Every structure is written in C-alpha cells, then in structure tokens.
C-alpha cells in the first residue's frame, strides 16, 4: 500500500533516546501540538523524524516534513508548507486559505522543522491550521516553544555521557575508521571525551571524524585547547549552547585557512547546492576557483558538509546543518564579505535562471523543471537580496530583481507555482525602479499569472499598461507579449473574435522579431482554441498539429500537452473517441509531470466526457468530482468561461440523466475525496470500454456557429 508523506530515510543508526521517543510519540497521539526544544545539534530533528516514522501508519493522509531553516522572510512560510505538502500552487487566494481548505478534511501529521527565525509567523500559521483542520496534528522542532495554547513541550537534553553518548561516538567512529571499538584500553579516554562534549550528538560526530587522522587521546587534548580558546561568550547562555559552539569552533580551528574561508562563504546558501555553484560563489581572495573542490571534499570528510546524490547521472549536492551554517555566517560577517558573497550568490542564480529559461524550449525541459525545484530555496534568497538588499540598506539594482522574477515565468506558470510567482512579481513591480525591459517583462508575466488565476481585472490593468509603455518606448518584444496575453485574457473571457484578432497580431509580431519559444507556440495553441470555439475545428486542428510537430522537433513537452488537448477535443467533436482518449491521456501525463494544474484539470474534464461516451457514467462523474476539487486550487472554475465549461456541461447533463441525482452526487463526492495524484492515476488507468458503439459528439451545423463548439446543441 502506498504511504503518503515525504519523510526521508534514515542513513545511520538511531542511538538511545528510548524514553524520549516514547514520551514524544505519546504527546503526538495525545495532543494536537507537540514541540521538541533544545540546543542546536542536540538531536531534535532526528528524534522528531524517528517518532514521526513510527506514527506514520496512524495518519490516513501521511506524515509531511516541512524544512524551514533556509527561509528568511515570514511571508514565505505558507508557500513553503504548501510546497512540502505538494499542494498545487495556483490560486489567487491567500496561501493560508488554500492550506486550510486542503487540510480541512485530512488526517495528517505536519512536522515543522527549524522554525526558530520565523517563530511568530510559524506560530500564527500553526494555530490557525489547528483551529480549522480538526484532523491535523503538528510536531514542531526548534530551540524554543511556539507559545501556542495547548502546546506540549519535550525539552531534549544531551545524551547521557556514560552510556548513549559513548555508543553514538563508537558507532560513528567505526563508520569513519573501520575496526574502531571501545576497549578497556581506551574506554576511560572515550568516556572523558564524551563528557567534555556534554553528550551533544553533533559534537560527538564531529569528534569521531577526527579519528581519521588523530587518536582518541589526541582528539581529547586538542578539544581541551579549543574549549579554552572559544570561551568568553554570553555567560547567561546555557552550557549546552556554549558546548555546541565549542565543538563547532573546534572543528573550525582544525580546518585549513582555505577550508575555513570556504565554510564562511558557503553559509550564504540555503538548502542544497552543487559544486559548480560553490566554485563560482566562493572563489575569490584567499581561495582560487580550482581550490574549491578540494576544500569541499575536506569539509565533507569532516562532516561540516553533507553530500547527497540526486539520483541518475545528476551531480552531487551538498548541504550544511543549520547550526554549522550559522557559525560560518558569523565568520563571514566578521570578515566583512557578506555583501560581496551574497552578490555572487545572486549572480550565480541569476545565470541559472537565464540558462533554465533558454533550455525550457528544448529536450531538457523536464531537467529544467527538476533543477528549478531543487534550487528554489536559493532562487528565493537571490530574489530577496535583489529586491531587498542587505539589512538596513536599499537594494543595489532593483532591475536585477525584476529581471530574475520575470525570467522565472516558466517556474511560476509551467511548474505549478502561480501563487508564489505572483508574490515575487508583485514585489518586483513595487520596488522603485524606472521603466526597463526587465520591468516590462515582469508586467506581462504578472498579467499572465493573474489571468490564469481568474483575476481578470488585475490582468487587464497590468497588461494594458505594459502594452502602452512598450509602444511608447519602442519595445517590440514586450508589446508582442502584452498583446498575446491580452488575447489570452479575451479567450478566457469568452470574447473569441477579439482573442483571435489579438493573438493573430501577436504571432505576426513574434515572427517579425524572430521570437520562437514555448510562449510563442502557446499563442498558436490559444489561437487554435479561439477558432475551435467559433466552430472552425478544421483550422484549429491544422494550427494544433503544426504546434505538435514543432514541439516534437525541439523536444518541447509543456506546450505540446496543450496542443494535444486541442487535438483531443477536436477528435471528440469529430466522433473519434479512441483517438480523443489517447491524446487526452498523453496531455494529462505531461501536464501532471510538470505540476501544471491548469492543463491537468482541463484534461481531466475532457477525459470525464470521453469516459461518459464509453458507457461509464459513474466513472465519468468521479472524474468530474476530482476535477471540481482541483479547480478550487486553480482559481475561478473553468475561468468562468462558457466555452471552456462546455465539455463539463455536456458530460454533466448526460451523466445526470444516466445515473439520477442521488447516484450522481455520490460519485461526485467520491471523486472529490481523491487527491491530485490519485485522480490522475484513476483517469489514466481506467480499463477500456467493451467493444460496442460509443457515444461521441455529432457534428451539426450549429458547431460552425459562434456558439461553444461542445455545447449540448452541437454535441447532440
């Protein structure tokens, strides 16, 4: 049975904590909110994940980990929770509303890890979700309590030095030095070492790594020196806090100058990063680019960095523990390099976004989508730095932030992040900056996002402004895109003649300036939709087939899915249900792979209609119910368009007649309980209908009028 959730697998043995584990699992099962508190490096996250793993079978909708340590702005907490829950990110509603609606009828455990920097917004969100989602339980992990009424706390102390700490050190030491064991000859020294490190797991693991080069006695001697060197901090801080800093500082002192410098500069990254990014961002005075790889390897060997393969042929990616990263950040600030290194970090991810936009129109489109998802925490940091600047200082060049926000259009639109995209695009438009090509691009991308969310008023205002400013400044590219998106707005607003006219004009302009990419091909798909809705199905097929062929020549998949949708719709109208199903299923598969909810739900609606024609009205109603739930995450259902709603209306009319109201409502409710993945699987894995006459559309003269081509009158 498939288990919902996203808990990572354990890579090393779990040592001790039996009583704490029992207490924590009891807290989670007996209360709505439990929080594990304690010093950094004491093992809070490991204990919480262990407890969550033991409890996962008790939660129907799974256990979900939300990692918050890389966030700097509280406004992104809700987006990050939604991303972890794989909640489709398309609505124009506040993200909190989408989250509460998603969680309202679910039974799941949400693990909020690393909320310390954002305690207030996290506490507010957790309290709101718990009030409005009765089946939700929250397990929080941080250095302090959230402070919410009803919260149960588990303060986590270090491991007992004489038992569990020794076992942990012994196991980790054996992993780096095969054959190591605690013996009568070294047991007293090991016990003293564990006691001096206060039984802190992170400190023990860093100490164990040193056994590659040092004996236990040498480690203990050097640790004693480092204790004296790193004392003198805040005397009111808990001893375990000072001990952790001592352990990290000791590891820092054992690094070479180049490794220390790299450690400090790597602290600007959020989440994982690859070697190329580290080389570009961290090279500079005191550390040549060709020295970075050796320094990275040394930090991995010392457990300052963790390494993970992304699978397949992808490069290794690295990550710092939060406490280790914060230690490096302190050194970076002391060196006076924070602004320079963050600027280089921004520039790297600016270049990455530019490359990804170009490669989006290529056979590497799926790779681009995966890369953007993996690097999203760092792209967010780059956007923050570009639009906000350093704390207390204005941004150096807001146009850079505008360029980055606009360049990532494919991430916002093509990879299912409309809500977050609108957040960044709105911020980019709000920064004080003159008119520029970057700002013009932000405007048409913002309009595109808004119209897909069903916010026609906002879309119209910004697209008209973009068009007018582009004309005044002679920006032919921005004018073409503004006209294109105004045509798209007319399309979803049911003004098909205007949509055809504007999109056709935009296509002529694209050709004149030599523009060819996914957006240009999407314009032709939208033109095909506008003429199909006006009854000229043959012309729509010609346009969509041309797009299909160009997409396959270039390896483009995202726009291809929409062309296949048009062809599937046309096949249904022409009375070819088997071909319609094949095309609609391929469209659905591609859209779902890209997390494009708009395309996914359109294909589901069409497959419901096709399924009804195959003689399975109950199953068609289930798919309609699933689609109805997904539309809530997109925005305005079927864009509020009678044309886009026509397949749904035809299907609903037929299914109601076949099933009756009670059975229809039951099937709709069944579909409404399906999540996105389950709904797609159900649509794609339906057994083929028996060999008999299948219902399909019947072409009539009304299909060539300006009425919706799939209206009941046209469909028969």
């Amino acid at each position: 049975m498939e288990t919902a959730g996203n808990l990572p697998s354990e890579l090393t043995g779990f040592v001790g904590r039996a009583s704490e584990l029992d207490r924590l699992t009891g807290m989670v099962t007996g209360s709505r909110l439990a929080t594990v508190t304690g010093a950094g490096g004491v093992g809070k996250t490991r204990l919480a994940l262990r407890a969550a793993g033991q409890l996962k079978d008790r939660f129907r909708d799974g256990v979900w980990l939300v990692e918050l340590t890389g966030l700097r702005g509280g406004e992104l907490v809700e987006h990050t929770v939604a991303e972890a829950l794989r909640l489709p990110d398309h609505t124009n509603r506040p993200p909190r509303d989408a989250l509460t609606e998603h969680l309202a009828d679910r039974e799941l455990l949400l693990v909020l890890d690393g909320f310390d920097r954002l305690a207030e917004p996290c506490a507010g969100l957790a309290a709101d979700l718990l009030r409005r989602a009765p089946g939700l339980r929250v397990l929080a992990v941080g250095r302090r309590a959230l402070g919410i009424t009803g919260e149960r706390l588990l303060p986590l102390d270090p491991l007992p030095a004489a038992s569990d700490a020794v076992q942990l050190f012994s196991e980790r030491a054996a992993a780096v030095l095969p054959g190591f064991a605690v013996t009568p000859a070294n047991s007293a020294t090991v016990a003293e070492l564990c006691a001096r490190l206060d039984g802190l797991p992170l400190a023990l693991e860093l100490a164990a790594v040193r056994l590659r080069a040092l004996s236990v006695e040498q480690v203990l001697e050097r640790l004693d020196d480092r204790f004296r060197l790193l004392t003198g901090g805040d005397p009111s801080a808990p001893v375990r806090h000072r001990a952790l800093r001592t352990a990290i500082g000791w590891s820092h002192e054992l690094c070479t100058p180049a490794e220390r410098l790299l450690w400090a500069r790597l602290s600007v990254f959020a989440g994982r990063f690859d070697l190329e990014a580290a080389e570009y961002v961290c090279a500079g005075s005191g550390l040549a680019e060709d020295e970075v790889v050796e320094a990275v390897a040394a930090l991995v060997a010392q457990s300052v960095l963790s390494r993970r393969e992304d699978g397949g042929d992808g490069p290794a990616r690295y990550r710092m523990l939060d406490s280790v990263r914060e230690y490096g950040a302190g050194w970076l600030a002391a060196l006076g390099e924070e602004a320079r290194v963050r600027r280089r970090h921004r520039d790297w991810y600016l270049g990455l976004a530019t490359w990804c936009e170009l490669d989006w129109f290529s056979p590497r489109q799926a790779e681009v989508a995966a890369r953007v998802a993996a690097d999203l925490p760092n792209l967010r940091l780059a956007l923050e730095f570009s639009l906000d600047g350093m704390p207390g200082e204005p941004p150096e060049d807001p146009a850079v932030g505008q360029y980055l926000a606009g360049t990532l259009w494919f991430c916002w639109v093509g990879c299912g992040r409309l809500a977050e995209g609108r957040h960044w695009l709105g911020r980019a438009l709000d920064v004080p900056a003159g008119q520029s090509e970057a700002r013009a691009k932000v405007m048409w991308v913002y309009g595109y996002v808004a119209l897909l969310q069903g916010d026609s008023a906002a879309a119209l205002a910004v697209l008209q402004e973009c068009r007018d400013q582009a004309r005044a400044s002679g920006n032919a590219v921005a004018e073409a895109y503004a006209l294109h998106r105004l045509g798209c707005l007319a399309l979803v607003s049911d003004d098909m003649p205007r949509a055809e006219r504007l999109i056709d004009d935009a296509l002529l302009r694209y050709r004149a300036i030599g523009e060819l990419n996914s957006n240009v091909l999407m314009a032709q798909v939208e033109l095909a939709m506008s003429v199909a809705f006006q009854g000229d199905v043959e012309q729509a097929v010609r346009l969509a087939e041309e797009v299909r062929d160009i997409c396959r020549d270039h390896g483009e998949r995202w726009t291809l899915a929409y062309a296949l949708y048009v062809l599937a719709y046309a096949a249904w109208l022409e009375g070819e249900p088997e071909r319609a199903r094949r095309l609609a299923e391929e469209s659905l598969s591609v859209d779902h792979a890209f997390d494009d909810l708009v395309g996914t739900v359109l294909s589901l609606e069409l497959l419901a209609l096709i399924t009804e024609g195959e003689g399975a009205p109950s199953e068609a109603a289930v798919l309609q119910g699933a689609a109805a739930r997904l539309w809530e995450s997109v925005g305005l259902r079927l864009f509020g368009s009678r044309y886009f709603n026509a397949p749904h209306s035809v299907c609903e009319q037929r299914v109601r007649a076949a099933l009756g109201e009670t059975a229809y409502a039951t099937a709709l409710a069944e579909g409404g309980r399906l999540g996105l993945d389950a709904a797609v699987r159900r649509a794609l894995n339906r057994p083929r209908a028996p060999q008999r006459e299948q219902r399909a559309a019947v072409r009539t003269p009304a299909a060539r009028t300006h009425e919706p081509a799939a209206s009941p009158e046209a469909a028969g």
Side-chain angles (χ1 to χ4, degrees), residues 121-245:
C122 286
L125 177 62
D128 201 18
L129 294 180
L130 287 167
R131 279 194 299 269
R132 298 166 66 180
L136 172 67
R137 293 175 189 254
V138 174
L139 173 55
V141 183
R143 299 181 188 184
R144 48 171 284 187
L146 281 171
I148 301 173
T149 301
E151 180 181 26
R152 296 188 63 185
L153 300 179
L154 177 64
L156 193 62
D157 292 324
L159 292 169
S163 54
D164 293 341
V166 170
Q167 182 184 349
L168 178 65
F169 178 81
S170 177
E171 289 187 10
R172 300 300 187 261
V176 300
L177 187 67
F180 176 86
V182 177
T183 65
N186 66 13
S187 61
T189 306
V190 170
E192 183 180 355
L193 175 65
C194 293
R196 296 289 294 276
L197 290 175
D198 289 336
L200 288 162
L202 175 59
L204 295 168
E205 292 181 354
L206 290 170
V209 169
R210 290 290 101 204
L211 295 186
R212 288 194 176 105
L214 304 172
S215 67
V216 177
E217 290 82 3
Q218 288 174 313
V219 170
L220 183 59
E221 291 171 3
R222 289 171 179 261
L223 180 63
D224 187 56
D225 291 338
R226 301 290 83 75
F227 271 140
R228 289 196 297 267
L229 178 65
L230 295 176
T231 56
D234 183 356
S236 66
V239 173
R240 60 182 179 271
H241 281 232
R242 285 177 275 155
L244 176 63
R245 179 167 177 78

Side-chain angles (χ1 to χ4, degrees), residues 583-712:
L583 291 166
E585 286 181 345
E586 185 179 355
S587 175
L588 176 61
S589 297
V590 174
D591 283 322
H592 184 51
F594 283 108
D595 295 321
D596 182 350
L597 194 60
V598 174
T600 296
V601 72
L602 285 173
S603 295
L604 275 177
E605 292 278 13
L606 184 54
L607 281 166
L609 178 59
I610 294 167
T611 299
E612 185 282 329
E614 293 169 340
S618 181
E619 185 66 16
V622 169
L623 294 182
Q624 279 202 320
R629 178 171 181 170
L630 296 178
W631 275 115
E632 295 171 3
S633 297
V634 174
L636 188 60
R637 181 170 173 171
L638 288 156
F639 316 116
S641 163
R642 64 192 179 101
Y643 287 92
F644 281 96
N645 191 57
H648 177 91
S649 296
V650 173
C651 185
E652 180 179 347
Q653 182 185 60
R654 292 177 173 179
V655 171
R656 281 182 185 274
L659 297 179
E661 292 300 323
T662 301
Y664 179 63
T666 300
L668 278 181
E670 180 183 349
R673 290 190 292 270
L674 296 176
L676 175 60
D677 293 342
V680 171
R681 284 196 301 270
R682 185 142 180 176
L684 295 178
N685 297 329
R686 201 186 86 77
R688 291 297 179 265
Q691 294 296 319
R692 65 172 186 79
E693 183 178 356
Q694 296 177 316
R695 293 186 62 186
V698 178
R699 297 298 305 281
T700 74
R704 296 184 181 276
T705 70
H706 285 206
E707 291 301 309
S711 67

